[in-house]
C-alpha cells in the first residue's frame, strides 16, 4: 500500500511539473497577470494604493517574474510608506529587466524620494540614454527636481531644458525654469516662461503670484494689474492672492 501511495505521489508530481512547462498554462498565467496589472494601474492612478498593491501581489502569484508588475508594486509600496520594501521590489524588477528605461526612471525617483538624490541621478541618466524610451521628459523632469534637492541649480536647469525639448508643452518644466531664472536675477527670462505658463490656462496660483512679482519688479504696472485680474478670476480664494490684495490696498 505504501509503495502505491509513493507511486501515485510521484505521478502527481510529474503531472504538476509537466503543467508548469505547458505553453498553454504559461500563456494563461501571463494573461491573468496582465489583467491584474491593468487593474493595479487603474487603482494606482485613482490613488487607491493599497488595492493597487493587492492586485500587483495577485499578479505576481501567477507570474512571479514580471518586472512590470514588480515595478508597479514598488511604486505602490512607496506611496504606502514602505520605502525598504519598495526598493527591494524595484531592485528585483531591474534584475529581471536591467535595460528598461521606465524602471530606471522609477528607481531614480524612489531613491530621490528617500533622501538618496545623488544615487538616483545615474538612473535618470540611464533612462534618458535609451532611444526607445517613449517619455524622456518624465525622467528629465524628475532628474531636475532631484538636482534641486541637491541644491545643484545648474544641473537642474539642464534637465528642465531637456524635459522641455522632449515635450514643449510640459508646463511644469517651464515653470521650474522661470523660478530658476528669478533666482539668478533674470526677470526677463522668467517673464517669457511665465507668459507661456499663464497662457496655457493650467497655471497654479503660485505661478500667478510669481508672475505678478516679476511685473512689479520690471515696473510694468499694466501687466501686473492684468495678471492680478486673471489670478483673482481663477483663484479667488487663494491665500497668496489675498495677501497680494492687502498689500495693494496698503500701498494706495
Amino acid at each position: 500500500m505504501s509503495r502505491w501511495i509513493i507511486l501515485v505521489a510521484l505521478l502527481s508530481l510529474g503531472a504538476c511539473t509537466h503543467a508548469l512547462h505547458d505553453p498553454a498554462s504559461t500563456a494563461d498565467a501571463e494573461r491573468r497577470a496582465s489583467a491584474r496589472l491593468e487593474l493595479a494601474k487603474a487603482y494606482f492612478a485613482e490613488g487607491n494604493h493599497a488595492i493597487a498593491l493587492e492586485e500587483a501581489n495577485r499578479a505576481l502569484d501567477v507570474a512571479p517574474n514580471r518586472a512590470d508588475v514588480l515595478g508597479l508594486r514598488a511604486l505602490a509600496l512607496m506611496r504606502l510608506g514602505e520605502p525598504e520594501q519598495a526598493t527591494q521590489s524595484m531592485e528585483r524588477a531591474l534584475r529581471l529587466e536591467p535595460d528598461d528605461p521606465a524602471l530606471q526612471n522609477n528607481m531614480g525617483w524612489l531613491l530621490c524620494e528617500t533622501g538618496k538624490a545623488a544615487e538616483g541621478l545615474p538612473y535618470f541618466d540611464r533612462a534618458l540614454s535609451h532611444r526607445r524610451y517613449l517619455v524622456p521628459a518624465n525622467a528629465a523632469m524628475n532628474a531636475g527636481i532631484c538636482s534641486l534637492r541637491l541644491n545643484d541649480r545648474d544641473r537642474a536647469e539642464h534637465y528642465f531644458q531637456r524635459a522641455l525639448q522632449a515635450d514643449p508643452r510640459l508646463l511644469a518644466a517651464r515653470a521650474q525654469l522661470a523660478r530658476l531664472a528669478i533666482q539668478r536675477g533674470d526677470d526677463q527670462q522668467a517673464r517669457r516662461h511665465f507668459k507661456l505658463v499663464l497662457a496655457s490656462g493650467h497655471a497654479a496660483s503660485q505661478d500667478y503670484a510669481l508672475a505678478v512679482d516679476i511685473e512689479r519688479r520690471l515696473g510694468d504696472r499694466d501687466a501686473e494689474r492684468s495678471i492680478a485680474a486673471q489670478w483673482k478670476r481663477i483663484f479667488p480664494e487663494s491665500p497668496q492672492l489675498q495677501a497680494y490684495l492687502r498689500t495693494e490696498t496698503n500701498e494706495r
Side-chain angles (χ1 to χ4, degrees):
M1 178 62 72
S2 61
R3 289 178 59 192
W4 174 250
I5 293 172
I6 292 171
L7 178 60
V8 170
L10 289 172
L11 287 172
S12 299
L13 180 60
C16 291
T17 303
H18 176 73
L20 286 173
H21 294 284
D22 178 25
S25 176
T26 301
D28 179 63
E30 289 296 323
R31 282 193 296 271
R32 288 158 59 198
S34 294
R36 290 291 184 188
L37 175 60
E38 291 308 310
L39 280 172
K41 287 179 179 178
Y43 282 120
F44 187 89
E46 293 173 357
N48 295 322
H49 304 125
I51 302 177
L53 177 61
E54 289 178 12
E55 293 297 340
N57 286 336
R58 288 173 182 168
L60 291 171
D61 285 341
V62 295
N65 292 321
R66 284 282 296 263
D68 50 357
V69 178
L70 286 162
L72 183 63
R73 179 177 181 272
L75 296 178
L77 284 165
M78 188 64 193
R79 293 293 178 88
L80 292 168
E82 298 291 345
E84 291 185 10
Q85 291 185 50
T87 301
Q88 291 171 4
S89 187
M90 194 67 77
E91 287 174 343
R92 185 179 165 198
L94 281 169
R95 283 196 294 272
L96 292 166
E97 296 287 347
D99 295 324
D100 187 317
L103 290 175
Q104 289 165 343
N105 171 56
N106 290 341
M107 184 61 167
W109 185 245
L110 192 155
L111 290 167
C112 190
E113 286 286 271
T114 54
K116 301 175 182 176
E119 295 176 36
L121 288 173
Y123 284 95
F124 296 127
D125 289 334
R126 283 196 285 274
L128 288 166
S129 71
H130 287 272
R131 292 185 178 180
R132 68 185 178 93
Y133 191 25
L134 298 178
V135 282
N138 288 357
M141 190 71 197
N142 289 339
I145 294 170
C146 207
S147 298
L148 287 179
R149 293 181 181 178
L150 293 170
N151 202 31
D152 190 340
R153 295 177 185 175
D154 290 341
R155 191 170 188 175
E157 184 164 5
H158 162 76
Y159 282 125
F160 292 137
Q161 289 283 10
R162 188 164 182 181
L164 207 54
Q165 289 168 5
D167 183 359
R169 300 166 299 174
L170 190 58
L171 297 176
R174 198 171 288 284
Q176 289 287 1
L177 287 168
R179 288 173 171 82
L180 287 169
I182 291 171
Q183 290 171 11
R184 67 171 182 270
D186 190 347
D187 284 338
Q188 291 288 355
Q189 181 67 24
R191 172 196 256 176
R192 285 191 285 272
H193 284 302
F194 272 129
K195 276 188 175 180
L196 292 170
V197 172
L198 300 186
S200 72
H202 298 286
S205 180
Q206 175 67 16
D207 296 327
Y208 281 97
L210 292 173
V212 162
D213 284 343
I214 289 168
E215 297 302 341
R216 174 171 288 190
R217 285 197 299 273
L218 291 173
D220 192 335
R221 293 291 289 173
D222 289 340
E224 180 187 347
R225 281 191 288 267
S226 175
I227 293 169
Q230 295 176 45
W231 189 13
K232 188 175 182 179
R233 186 175 66 253
I234 299 170
F235 296 102
E237 304 300 323
S238 166
Q240 293 168 311
L241 172 64
Q242 299 307 317
Y244 168 77
L245 293 175
R246 284 194 297 271
T247 301
E248 280 289 281
T249 301
N250 293 335
E251 290 181 356
R252 287 174 187 167

